[in-house]
Amino acid sequence: MIDSTDTEWWRTAAIYQIYPRSFSDSNGDGTGDLAGITARLDHLATLGVDAVWLSPFYPSPQNDGGYDVADYRNVADEFGTLPDFDALVARAHDLGIRVIVDLVPNHCSWEHASFRAALASAPGSPERAMFHFRDGRGTDGELPPNDWQSMFEGPAWTRTPDGQWYLHLFDESQPDWNWSNPAVRADFEQTLRFWLDRDVDGFRVDVCDAMVKADGLPDWPYPTKGVVRPIDGRMPPMWDQEGIHEIFREWRAVLDSYEGTRILCAEAWLPPERTARIVRPGEMHQAFNFAYLEQQWDATAIRDTIETSISSNDAVGAPTTWVLSNHDVMRHASRYGYDGPVALESGVGADDPQPDRALGLRRARAATALMLALPGSAYIYQGEELGLPESTDLPDEVRQDPVWERSGHRIRGRDGCRVPLPWTVSAPSFGFSASETTWLPQAADFGNFAVATQDGVPDSTLSLYREALSLRRSLTGPLEFSEAPADVISFTRGDVRVVANISTSPVALQAGSEVLLASGPVQGLTVPADTTVWVRLAS
Ligand code: TEU
Ligand code: CA
């Protein structure tokens, strides 16, 4: 059961991200669904997570994996029904797991009733004022109103048959809401209340840093990739505008009016000192730490990011969060299998350079053991507890990420981290579905990563995650860095010392250390390269 008196649960929570299409399929159509999730919640209870975050399961044409929402207050037919959702929440709560849903407030789908009404209405109408409609530039308005680029390549504007243009920071099927319109705010408050009334424990808020645009929509010729930073001394006019904070304060007041502690988590690709402003008192509870996710396997960079993240958040009294993988980036078990920088969201094709799998997995296990020792809240993306690699050989014809088409087949996109999970070995689609075929094809060797293959196997990645998540609960107290050789990160939390050996040579532990957790084979007191250990110090 959920302990509803625990008002601080989110400060240390391990939160598991479920991508509903790819977690578990209950009805054999090859697509995951809510009943499939409910049936597999035991796996998450055994894993030892405190909460799940569900990526969108709302009615949607699925032009962007459901981040194109046609109706914010319903469940898509392919994912089930509202009663299925209620059953999921009830079962999760019975197991002591909280449920966070995805709120997508920057944009909707072009199939949303409000956008259809806007298209059917005249320029200047209240219906159009729900979105950003503008006349174009050029002699006949044939040029877009400004030069903004879509995050998915190409212009951020699309022209309608009557000549006006509408703004979409993402796909043309994802029109941006106009947050300076009070009617938009009122509508989203209804959505918050709808899910809070159904007992959700919080919201992960998609692209919350883009909701407010600078007045006059001034030109900005630079595309954005990764964490947003000023260019030529200017902040982009579509990111991190001051007006977002007022909205967050309004939402926080709504959440706080409900029983228990319901949370808001910001999805914003900003540097730590800017995300910290979103988690000031009275605003959101947490923000993703994408600066952490962006770091390569480099001790100095990782250590610096830990320090800046903690100090930025301490300054506003908010916990820090940590994340290594999600549905938008190459899985970290593959990312660390490359030397040098990796384009996080660009995807890999069969004819591209392939990662070193063994190296990637070794480093990924070490990276996770490091992350789960850090103070604050940690996010885990489905499949990483299996050491699942990115699918780097998907046939191009199955790709669904809109960036693949919009980039003219230059950028493959994010499908490789969204492939359905393997649960067992000798069953159709490795136990994901009764069907042999799944919405994205699984790799032939996925059975090696299946839950059943790893369950109870002492050295498996699943066992490592279970042990780390369990031991993590005993790590209390602030982090204090210790002296360490070059390329080694070492810190203590109470009487536990964590040593992450990111160097290329073994390091020796202090005599008398008792090894509590190791991401790789430790011989005596010697920690090999690319390995993290947690030890209890001799008293
Ligand atoms: O992603 C937000 C998003 O903008 C990043 O993934 C982005 O590409 C990043 O800023 C790097 O520059 C969210 C969802 O997680 C994603 O799946 C959606 O496609 C996107 O919003 C649009 O809704
Ligand atoms: Ca299904």
Side-chain angles (χ1 to χ4, degrees), residues 199-507:
D199 228 8
V200 303
D201 299 284
F203 300 89
R204 172 263 190 196
V205 188
D206 191 62
V207 210
C208 68
D209 51 337
M211 292 164 65
V212 173
K213 280 79 179 174
D215 282 345
L217 309 181
D219 275 346
W220 183 259
Y222 315 98
T224 308
K225 290 282 171 248
V227 165
V228 182
R229 298 179 191 274
I231 300 180
D232 291 344
R234 277 175 68 208
M235 259 318 263
M238 67 293 275
W239 299 108
D240 200 22
Q241 301 294 308
E242 197 53 35
I244 57 179
H245 299 285
E246 180 190 315
I247 302 169
F248 304 159
R249 286 191 288 269
E250 285 171 16
W251 288 354
R252 178 63 181 261
V254 173
L255 266 73
D256 285 353
S257 73
Y258 278 76
E259 205 185 315
T261 305
R262 325 282 182 112
I263 70 158
L264 292 166
C265 176
E267 197 243 4
W269 287 73
L270 298 173
E273 63 280 11
R274 299 301 300 182
T275 50
R277 301 183 76 248
I278 300 177
V279 292
R280 290 175 297 186
E283 298 194 37
M284 296 211 195
H285 298 74
Q286 299 189 335
F288 285 108
N289 190 341
F290 291 125
Y292 189 70
L293 182 153
E294 275 193 338
Q295 300 311 319
Q296 293 176 50
W297 193 234
D298 171 330
T300 309
I302 293 174
R303 193 192 139 122
D304 287 352
T305 311
I306 293 172
E307 279 188 315
T308 354
S309 304
I310 293 177
S311 62
S312 305
N313 285 286
D314 278 356
V316 294
T320 304
T321 68
W322 312 102
V323 64
L324 290 167
S325 281
N326 66 30
H327 67 295
D328 289 331
V329 300
M330 189 190 303
R331 287 182 174 278
H332 65 285
S334 297
R335 223 160 66 214
Y336 295 135
Y338 288 99
D339 275 322
V342 167
L344 291 173
E345 305 184 37
S346 297
V348 177
D351 47 350
D352 290 325
Q354 298 292 308
D356 176 335
R357 280 242 184 139
L359 178 70
L361 182 58
R362 191 160 70 241
R363 289 177 172 174
R365 290 169 55 113
T368 296
L370 169 60
M371 174 179 90
L372 291 179
L374 296 171
S377 180
Y379 279 82
I380 295 167
Y381 176 50
Q382 67 176 38
E384 66 166 90
E385 78 278 22
L386 308 176
L388 199 68
E390 181 85 357
S391 285
T392 52
D393 56 358
L394 285 175
D396 286 339
E397 51 293 356
V398 306
R399 294 189 187 280
Q400 310 236 353
D401 190 333
V403 77
W404 173 238
E405 289 303 327
R406 289 185 65 88
S407 69
H409 295 180
R410 241 180 342 104
I411 302 176
R412 288 200 159 85
R414 302 159 293 173
D415 296 304
C417 62
R418 301 176 176 180
V419 174
L421 293 190
W423 293 91
T424 58
V425 182
S426 47
S429 58
F430 305 108
F432 167 74
S433 168
S435 165
E436 290 284 357
T437 50
T438 53
W439 75 278
L440 282 174
Q442 298 165 302
D445 67 350
F446 256 31
N448 298 340
F449 300 93
V451 175
T453 308
Q454 302 193 37
D455 184 30
V457 177
D459 295 334
S460 70
T461 301
L462 180 58
S463 297
L464 175 68
Y465 271 75
R466 286 177 179 164
E467 284 163 30
L469 284 163
S470 160
L471 271 172
R472 180 179 179 272
R473 295 181 190 277
S474 63
L475 296 184
T476 46
L479 171 156
E480 286 181 42
F481 282 109
S482 328
E483 283 299 313
D487 299 325
V488 175
I489 298 176
S490 175
F491 58 83
T492 54
R493 293 193 61 199
D495 64 350
V496 175
R497 169 162 291 159
V498 176
V499 178
N501 183 5
I502 299 175
S503 77
T504 49
S505 23
V507 291

Side-chain angles (χ1 to χ4, degrees), residues 24-33 78-79 433:
S24 173
D25 173 23
S26 71
N27 64 353
D29 65 358
T31 294
D33 46 51
E78 67 263 39
F79 294 129
S433 168

